[in-house]
Amino acid sequence: MSRWLTEAVPRGRVAAFRTLIYLFVAADLVVFTPWVRTRVAVPGELYQPLLVGRVLPLPTPTQTLVTVVFWALLLLALLAATGRAPRLLGWAVFALYFEWMIVAMSYGKVDHDRFGLLVALAVLPTAGRARHGDTTRTEAGGWALRVTQIAVICTYFLAAWAKLRFGGLDWLTGSVLARAILRRGTELADLVASVPYLLIVAQFGIVAFELLSPVVFLLRERWRLAMVGFFYSFHLVTVATITISFAPHLAAMTSFLPLERVRPVVWARRLFTRRGRDTAASAGTAPALAGQASAAGRPDGP
């Protein structure tokens, strides 16, 4: 088990995952959860912190507290994405984002799609230094990615457990998806809903896929990547039909992917180098042709 938990991975994969996660945190603040800043307008007595917020304990959110957390987290996440000071910046980002989520989820609604992301932020500081493109392998980085993968799969499996625990068989045979479509469905969802019993079949399929999600750890790499691709396609359909986004979960799920192969900076550099060579070649060809024309005794130009 310990060998499986610490299976070594290329440091380049850890570096790419780290950059992606911290850039997502910065994007999350300004794109997905900017509404957290409006929580300070809610009366303080409506703030009911999660258990961890009561145990620590954490203060009731104020305008100053939320503003400081927002700007500090945005700046530190962008700095952490560069890979510098991975432990210092990593722990700081985790602590600030953790507080950001406590504020977000302490007013009656808790989203389960952020579990994998929070775990990723908690374990990335332990992975140590890693540079993009580095092929040397690291067990510490492998452990960080593996723990994140486990959190991602637990999100699926425990979601199915919760459905059956609180909804029972009625969740499978009821009108769960029908209500979701009525509330926030798209035109595509309307087409799906018009097919008799298809929504019931989909509900059985959702629970089955969530319960079977741990199988991904038993597959060889090729089939494991195919199954992860299915996970992504499931969420694509979810967004296209009932407009529910699992963006933080999808970011954490990249821990399954060979991210070291994705190197946009190198690709951009090669593209500009190729264009420069083509431009130089074109510039060098024109005088040669002109000289040949002159040698033949013909006037240059038209």
Side-chain angles (χ1 to χ4, degrees):
M1 176 60 75
S2 60
R3 182 180 301 177
W4 178 76
L5 283 173
T6 59
E7 182 179 358
V9 299
R11 292 183 184 273
R13 183 179 304 183
V14 177
F17 182 68
R18 172 180 288 150
T19 297
L20 187 151
I21 290 298
Y22 290 137
L23 288 179
F24 178 84
V25 168
D28 186 46
L29 294 175
V30 298
V31 177
F32 298 107
T33 60
W35 48 265
V36 175
R37 301 181 70 180
T38 66
R39 288 290 187 252
V40 296
V42 178
E45 57 267 19
L46 296 180
Y47 174 69
Q48 299 180 356
L50 303 174
L51 176 61
V52 65
R54 299 192 300 271
V55 170
L56 288 179
L58 296 175
T60 300
T62 63
Q63 179 72 47
T64 301
L65 173 65
V66 174
T67 301
V68 169
V69 170
F70 175 84
W71 288 109
L73 181 55
L74 182 61
L75 174 62
L76 293 179
L78 292 175
L79 289 175
T82 66
R84 299 179 183 274
R87 291 183 175 84
L88 177 62
L89 292 176
W91 288 122
V93 170
F94 169 69
L96 289 170
Y97 191 78
F98 191 70
E99 169 63 12
W100 186 256
M101 285 294 98
I102 294 295
V103 175
M105 305 302 168
S106 294
Y107 290 87
K109 180 178 182 292
V110 179
D111 297 329
H112 67 285
D113 62 340
R114 296 179 180 272
F115 177 59
L117 178 63
L118 281 168
V119 170
L121 292 174
V123 297
L124 272 175
T126 69
R129 294 187 176 275
R131 298 186 63 180
H132 290 270
D134 190 348
T135 58
T136 59
R137 294 183 169 267
T138 166
E139 291 186 351
W143 180 83
L145 292 181
R146 183 70 77 198
V147 171
T148 304
Q149 293 170 1
I150 294 173
V152 168
I153 297 306
C154 282
T155 301
Y156 288 130
F157 187 83
L158 295 178
W161 173 255
K163 291 179 178 67
L164 297 177
R165 178 187 177 188
F166 297 105
L169 294 179
D170 289 340
W171 198 98
L172 300 170
T173 59
S175 56
V176 177
L177 291 181
R179 289 197 301 270
I181 290 174
L182 289 174
R183 289 177 54 204
R184 53 193 306 167
T186 64
E187 294 182 0
L188 177 60
D190 293 337
L191 292 176
V192 173
S194 64
V195 180
Y197 302 107
L198 184 56
L199 294 182
I200 300 297
V201 172
Q203 288 168 186
F204 273 91
I206 290 172
V207 172
F209 125 73
E210 289 177 337
L211 289 175
L212 293 174
S213 59
V215 173
V216 71
F217 292 120
L218 304 178
L219 302 176
R220 294 183 179 274
E221 182 178 6
R222 178 182 177 184
W223 292 106
R224 182 169 62 250
L225 292 177
M227 190 169 183
V228 172
F230 170 77
F231 293 163
Y232 276 105
S233 66
F234 167 77
H235 291 288
L236 179 62
V237 172
T238 301
V239 171
T241 52
I242 54 179
T243 62
I244 294 179
S245 170
F246 279 76
H249 177 80
L250 300 182
M253 194 157 60
T254 59
S255 57
F256 281 100
L257 305 179
L259 294 176
E260 71 276 12
R261 302 177 188 174
V262 182
R263 302 189 63 190
V265 174
V266 174
W267 296 344
R269 189 178 301 162
R270 288 176 180 173
L271 178 62
F272 285 120
T273 302
R274 185 180 305 169
R275 285 184 177 180
R277 289 174 180 173
D278 293 342
T279 302
S282 299
T285 302
L289 292 176
Q292 291 175 6
S294 298
R298 298 173 185 172
D300 294 335

